[in-house]
Amino acid sequence: MCGETSFIKEILRKSFLSETADLIALWMSVEFAHGVCNTDNFGLLSITIDYCPFGFMDSHDPNLVPNTSDDERRYKIGNQANVLLFNLSKLLQALKPLLDPRQKQLLWKIQRLISH
């Protein structure tokens, strides 16, 4: 049981979160904006798919929204890190029914960590 909990913590908190954060940091370092950072375009392997629409900026603009259908400006470049946390939260919610009570307690702790 303890090994499973450690594995889940490693995958969700360290691997997925840090590697995806690194990916987004790389995007931002070259002024790349992923236009559709929704949950179905992020994966546990810290890769993303469906890059279209996307944009590269000539100069930094945290309000750039390359997706013209994003009326709420949810996926603007300045919000990409927050979207990662939202996506991780949704992943954890989806996994919750599969976990035993001890793992659910760990999940609750991870959710608290990412929400602060």
Side-chain angles (χ1 to χ4, degrees):
M1 185 73 66
C2 186
E4 291 175 15
T5 301
S6 296
F7 175 74
I8 291 171
K9 183 177 182 179
E10 177 69 24
I11 293 296
L12 296 179
R13 186 170 178 272
K14 293 181 181 176
S15 180
F16 174 78
L17 182 58
S18 66
E19 289 179 18
T20 307
D22 288 347
L23 177 64
I24 290 175
L26 283 171
W27 293 345
M28 295 176 83
S29 74
V30 295
E31 304 293 355
F32 174 79
H34 189 304
V36 282
C37 291
N38 46 330
T39 55
D40 65 328
N41 292 332
F42 278 75
L44 282 174
L45 300 176
S46 303
I47 60 171
T48 61
I49 58 172
D50 192 10
Y51 287 96
C52 209
F54 65 88
F56 283 94
M57 297 179 286
D58 293 328
S59 60
H60 184 70
D61 178 4
N63 294 311
L64 174 74
V65 181
N67 184 347
T68 57
S69 66
D70 184 6
D71 297 331
E72 296 174 10
R73 306 176 58 77
R74 176 174 169 76
Y75 303 121
K76 65 184 181 181
I77 193 167
N79 202 31
Q80 291 183 132
N82 291 330
V83 169
L84 163 62
L85 293 176
F86 174 83
N87 290 348
L88 178 59
S89 174
K90 293 302 176 186
L91 173 63
L92 295 174
Q93 285 178 0
L95 292 175
K96 191 174 183 177
L98 305 174
L99 306 177
D100 65 36
R102 190 171 182 191
Q103 291 169 329
K104 286 180 182 178
Q105 181 67 23
L106 175 62
L107 175 68
W108 179 78
K109 289 177 183 178
I110 293 171
Q111 287 175 315
R112 285 191 53 212
L113 281 173
I114 65 173
S115 66
H116 289 90

